[in-house]
Amino acid sequence: EEIRDELGEGVAGAARPEWRGVAAYVEAATGHLDAAAAHLDAFFPVLDEHGPTIINPVGVAAWMAAPLCALGDTARAARLEAILAPSAGLGGFAAGFTGPIDYGLGLLARLRGDEPLARRRLAAAVAFCRRLGAPAWQARCEAARAGG
């Protein structure tokens, strides 16, 4: 909640809607789904218009899979999946490693009800993290894979 409060102050004055995606991630993770949905409403038009950019890299876009799953938002999930698919097998970076793109793609496939694809994507995410030596992300991906 403390991070949520601090983030809220910064995002409220942010001129760039891309930061609203980060806020959506935090809001969904802390159970504030209405606030997450409002942030996604500001984030997605920019992503739809420009796709991933240096300000809104694919790794940050991939983070939107979690709030979309929390909201059950299959329409935006399909749009995000199409944006992320060309980056499958890669890792996301935004001033640091933001996780394997296949993690987000796996969550989105599961949200759409395609469990076989979700399991393949999440297995690829686990393998990527193992090769990279990213144990925290590997554990997150393994937990998602087991959660099917």
Side-chain angles (χ1 to χ4, degrees):
E1 289 295 320
E2 182 180 328
I3 292 171
R4 178 181 179 260
D5 293 340
E6 289 178 21
L7 180 66
E9 293 171 15
V11 169
R16 302 288 314 187
E18 292 88 344
W19 288 104
R20 303 286 296 273
V22 176
Y25 183 88
V26 172
E27 295 288 11
T30 57
H32 298 92
L33 299 183
D34 288 342
H39 288 302
L40 290 170
D41 288 343
F43 175 81
F44 263 88
V46 174
L47 185 63
D48 286 339
E49 183 177 348
H50 301 289
T53 66
I54 195 165
I55 293 172
N56 184 23
V58 70
V60 172
W63 279 8
M64 296 312 101
L68 291 176
C69 288
L71 291 165
D73 189 338
T74 56
R76 283 195 275 214
R79 289 170 24 213
L80 182 59
E81 196 169 10
I83 290 167
L84 296 179
S87 298
L90 302 176
F93 295 87
F97 182 58
T98 60
I101 302 303
D102 283 311
Y103 173 76
L105 286 167
L107 295 180
L108 296 170
R110 180 168 287 152
L111 177 61
R112 289 187 304 94
D114 190 341
E115 189 60 27
L117 179 59
R119 296 187 72 67
R120 286 193 307 274
R121 295 285 197 196
L122 292 168
V126 168
F128 182 93
C129 292
R130 190 176 298 120
R131 289 189 312 272
L132 184 63
W137 267 102
Q138 183 177 336
R140 179 181 284 175
C141 295
E142 287 172 343
R145 186 172 64 172

